[in-house]
Amino acid sequence: MTSSLISSEKELLLRLREGDYTAFETIYNKHSRAIGQRLFRLLKSWDLAEDVLQELFIKLWNSRGVIDPERPLEAYLYRISANLVNDYFRNVSRNKKLAEELWHRISDAYNPFEEMSAVDADMELFRSIDRLPEQRRKVFLLCKMEKKSYAEVSRLLQISEAAVNDHITKANRFLKNHYNRAIPYVVVFFCQNLFGQ
């Protein structure tokens, strides 16, 4: 990312923090299409994808005062959208009618012989990262998503650089073993919760 893009994003985020609705609209116009497509590929419904997208940007607006303009906005938006999708699937697992509706959408749209798309893989990556122990997840996100050095993370979290390295090594091993499965997480989650009760 060039420095002009970084500074323009920081400027937008600073304006957003001050309640500038034009900055909010600019962010929405820049990110909503790509996130909406990712949500559709996971949820298999434009209506659901639009609902989650709307909830995502409502959360962005409501939490604008605590947004850190030094952190990449895209990673923040994808993390929130991954959490919203996970919340939806948790609700599905408790609601038989929603579960049946989801099952029909998935079975109509899912071809087990197709490779997982980059979009599904991205969402699966965030879900896999969320399964890391809390400290390891913090270290991983700071190093890999926010591009901080081991020394910076060491100072921020008040742990040694060796501990940072150990967390990254273990996180990478975990993600290698649990990320990018052939069957989308949606199907696995759905089946576990529907038939495991």
Side-chain angles (χ1 to χ4, degrees):
M1 191 181 288
T2 66
S3 60
S4 63
L5 286 176
I6 291 170
S7 62
S8 67
E9 182 174 279
K10 283 182 187 176
E11 184 183 319
L12 271 176
L13 292 175
L14 288 169
R15 287 172 43 207
L16 176 66
R17 281 177 56 151
E18 298 301 315
D20 183 337
Y21 194 74
T22 304
F24 175 77
E25 285 181 323
T26 303
I27 291 167
Y28 179 86
N29 291 334
K30 181 178 178 185
H31 295 282
S32 62
R33 182 180 172 96
I35 295 172
Q37 289 172 342
R38 289 170 185 244
L39 290 170
F40 171 73
R41 288 189 178 136
L42 280 172
L43 299 167
K44 311 298 184 207
S45 160
W46 282 115
D47 289 339
L48 282 174
E50 287 173 5
D51 288 348
V52 172
L53 188 66
Q54 182 178 5
E55 192 173 345
L56 164 67
F57 281 96
I58 289 170
K59 281 184 180 290
L60 176 67
W61 178 256
N62 290 339
S63 64
R64 67 189 179 277
V66 296
I67 289 174
D68 183 353
E70 300 298 321
R71 294 186 175 182
L73 177 64
E74 189 173 36
Y76 178 72
L77 292 174
Y78 283 122
R79 184 170 177 79
I80 294 174
S81 63
N83 289 338
L84 291 171
V85 169
N86 286 335
D87 290 346
Y88 170 75
F89 290 130
R90 271 192 287 277
N91 289 337
V92 165
S93 71
R94 296 185 201 113
N95 182 319
K96 210 69 159 165
K97 185 177 177 186
L98 273 179
E100 286 174 15
E101 189 180 305
L102 176 64
W103 180 251
H104 289 297
R105 277 201 312 274
I106 290 170
S107 58
D108 288 344
Y110 177 60
N111 177 353
F113 300 105
E114 287 180 2
E115 273 189 49
M116 183 186 279
S117 72
V119 170
D120 293 337
D122 286 349
M123 296 304 279
E124 174 65 11
L125 175 60
F126 280 109
R127 280 191 288 272
S128 297
I129 291 168
D130 281 342
R131 292 172 54 202
L132 293 168
E134 183 180 356
Q135 184 78 337
R136 189 159 302 148
R137 183 173 59 246
K138 283 181 191 173
V139 169
F140 184 85
L141 290 170
L142 287 168
C143 288
K144 301 295 184 181
M145 301 299 229
E146 297 182 26
K147 309 292 187 206
K148 294 194 183 298
S149 69
Y150 284 18
E152 289 175 301
V153 174
S154 169
R155 281 192 305 274
L156 275 170
L157 300 180
Q158 299 179 342
I159 58 177
S160 69
E161 285 186 50
V164 172
N165 182 55
D166 183 59
H167 279 301
I168 292 295
T169 301
K170 288 177 178 170
N172 285 336
R173 188 179 311 130
F174 176 85
L175 293 174
K176 183 179 175 187
N177 292 329
H178 295 89
Y179 167 63
N180 203 10
R181 299 289 191 199
I183 299 174
Y185 175 83
V186 167
V187 177
V188 174
F189 182 90
F190 177 78
C191 292
Q192 283 175 341
N193 286 286
L194 184 63
F195 302 116
Q197 293 178 358

